[in-house]
């Protein structure tokens, strides 16, 4: 197949897999399939362009995601745009606290915070040199322009192809928006991630190295929609003041540890919701990433789950090819194996994050005492903390 440097050139023959999508999950899948010897038609779901320099998104990638990107030979270059998390400090709204340490868990780091734009740029560059991958036109009415045994749908939460297949994707709107920005700090972050459950909002500072090495953060702030709109309309100085006030209310001593925080980017925002497809696969098609599931970002697991989908699907196809060579990549029985392996861990993670959000959003006094007491209890129970870390690392 031809090189993606020629995006308008159609594929000349049948592909094993047609990957529809333009984000990190779609590109990772195309690369991983190519590395396994599958022929890939990459149908970019929208006009593709290099990520903007103003992209303020950051991803918290776990060990499984890093392992996949390492195998795809993307991770060495991405490390320049990443910062390790050695400690995670979580605070409730009435004295509850948890602390996760890589050292206590016998790990090198808990996660890596990576630049979203850099990840997508490096994946797209790797695809330029991937054998057996050809860029083809986007799907029309849910149908690829190139014959393929399997259609892998990685089009995101608003997937038109999923809708055309009649797959239900009922969204539960939280009424909250995620607010994101890059921050510069006057003190080094020392690899410490911080999160405050403030009822009703959730505030997180993720250690980063851009624009200031070892003294930058990615801000992820889940707030009710009216508050998000207020923050978007504020001046930079007013956003900084609102952020400092929120931290001071939640943990006064944290301001001295963080130093002065200043915006180093624009402020972006998007609506938050909970959703999961009622079917993940069918004859000749499969869903991955946000096309299959969506959850609150408070645990930072969105992209980790999408990359775990990629890892699992490629493993299932590889096993089927070795053990049942008469089956095609689109064999419904093979695809059901992928769905069975991914639906439960994804659903359980979504329920966990949703339960935490609902618990801390409730203003009633008895629940306030219960949730903070429960958080402190988990802090004292080592096996539970180890289990939680294991779940997050494996997605």
């Amino acid at each position: 197949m031809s090189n993606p440097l020629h995006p308008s050139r159609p594929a000349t023959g049948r592909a094993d897999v047609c990957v529809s999508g333009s984000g990190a999950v779609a590109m990772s899948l195309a690369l991983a399939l190519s590395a396994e010897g599958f022929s890939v038609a990459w149908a970019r779901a929208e006009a593709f362009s290099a990520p903007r320099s103003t992209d303020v998104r950051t991803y918290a990638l776990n060990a499984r995601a890093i392992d996949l990107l390492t195998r795809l030979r993307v991770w060495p270059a991405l490390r320049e745009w990443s910062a390790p998390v050695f400690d995670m400090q979580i605070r409730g709204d009435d004295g509850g606290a948890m602390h996760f340490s890589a050292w206590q868990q016998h790990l090198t780091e808990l996660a890596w915070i990576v630049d979203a734009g850099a990840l997508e740029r490096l994946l797209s560059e790797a695809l330029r040199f991937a054998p057996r991958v050809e860029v083809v036109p986007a799907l029309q009415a849910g149908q690829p322009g190139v014959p393929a045994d399997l259609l892998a749908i990685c089009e995101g939460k608003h997937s038109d192809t999923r809708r055309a297949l009649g797959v239900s994707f009922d969204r539960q709107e939280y009424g909250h928006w995620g607010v994101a920005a890059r921050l510069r700090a006057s003190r080094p972050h020392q690899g410490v991630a911080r999160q405050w459950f403030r009822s009703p909002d959730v505030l997180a500072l993720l250690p980063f190295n851009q624009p200031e090495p070892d003294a930058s953060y990615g801000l992820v702030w889940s707030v009710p929609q009216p508050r998000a709109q207020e923050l978007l309309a504020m001046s930079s100085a007013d956003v900084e003041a609102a952020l400092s006030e929120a931290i001071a209310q939640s943990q006064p001593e944290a301001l001295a540890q963080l130093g002065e925080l200043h915006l180093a980017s624009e402020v972006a925002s998007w609506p938050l919701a909970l959703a999961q497809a009622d079917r993940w696969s069918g004859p000749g098609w499969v869903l991955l990433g946000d096309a299959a599931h969506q959850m609150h970002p408070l645990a930072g697991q969105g992209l980790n789950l999408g990359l775990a989908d990629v890892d699992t699907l490629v493993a299932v196809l590889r096993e089927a090819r070795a053990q049942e060579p008469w089956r095609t990549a689109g064999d419904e029985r093979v695809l059901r194996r992928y769905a069975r392996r991914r639906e439960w861990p994804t659903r359980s993670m979504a329920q966990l994050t949703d339960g935490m959000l609902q618990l801390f959003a409730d203003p009633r006094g008895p629940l306030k005492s219960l949730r903070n007491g429960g958080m402190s209890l988990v802090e004292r129970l080592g096996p539970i903390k180890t289990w939680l870390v294991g779940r997050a690392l494996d997605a």
Side-chain angles (χ1 to χ4, degrees), residues 60-74:
L61 295 187
N62 63 15
R64 183 174 184 180
I66 297 299
D67 180 65
L68 173 64
L69 294 175
T70 300
R71 283 182 275 127
L72 298 180
R73 301 183 181 181
V74 171

Side-chain angles (χ1 to χ4, degrees), residues 95-292:
M98 288 191 297
H99 173 227
F100 296 93
S101 165
W103 177 79
Q104 291 178 347
Q105 302 296 327
H106 307 289
L107 301 168
T108 306
E109 62 277 319
L110 293 172
W112 285 83
I113 308 302
V114 306
D115 181 279
L119 171 61
E120 294 182 1
R121 183 177 65 253
L122 290 168
L123 286 169
S124 66
E125 290 174 359
L127 277 167
R128 295 175 60 184
F129 303 100
R132 295 175 291 275
V133 176
E134 183 167 13
V135 174
V136 299
L139 273 59
Q140 298 294 326
Q143 297 297 319
V146 174
D149 294 326
L150 172 62
L151 173 59
I153 303 162
C154 314
E155 298 170 355
K157 56 192 175 185
H158 300 300
S159 170
D160 290 332
T161 308
R162 182 191 61 219
R163 189 178 303 111
L165 288 167
V167 177
S168 175
F169 193 71
D170 293 332
R171 284 165 52 91
Q172 174 190 320
E173 301 287 347
Y174 281 122
H176 279 214
W177 284 37
V179 175
R182 299 284 174 83
L183 302 169
R184 181 186 293 107
S186 62
R187 296 180 64 85
H189 55 61
Q190 298 181 322
V192 179
R194 303 170 188 270
Q195 187 172 47
W196 296 272
F197 286 84
R198 293 169 25 82
S199 182
D201 59 302
V202 183
L203 170 61
L205 295 180
L206 307 176
F208 200 53
N209 63 358
Q210 301 287 338
E212 189 71 27
D214 302 318
S216 301
Y217 289 96
L219 168 68
V220 182
W221 198 352
S222 166
V223 297
Q225 181 179 350
R227 181 57 173 163
Q229 293 172 332
E230 291 175 1
L231 289 168
L232 288 173
M234 288 181 182
S235 66
S236 295
D238 287 342
V239 172
E240 293 165 2
L243 177 60
S244 295
E245 181 182 4
I247 296 171
Q249 289 174 348
S250 302
Q251 188 186 0
E253 68 274 18
L255 285 177
Q257 299 165 359
L258 294 164
E260 295 181 3
L261 296 173
H262 297 285
L263 279 176
S265 74
E266 3 178 284
V267 177
S269 187
W270 63 92
L272 303 177
L274 175 70
Q276 181 146 315
D278 67 341
R279 289 180 292 146
W280 283 47
S281 66
W285 63 267
V286 68
L287 299 176
L288 299 92
D290 286 352

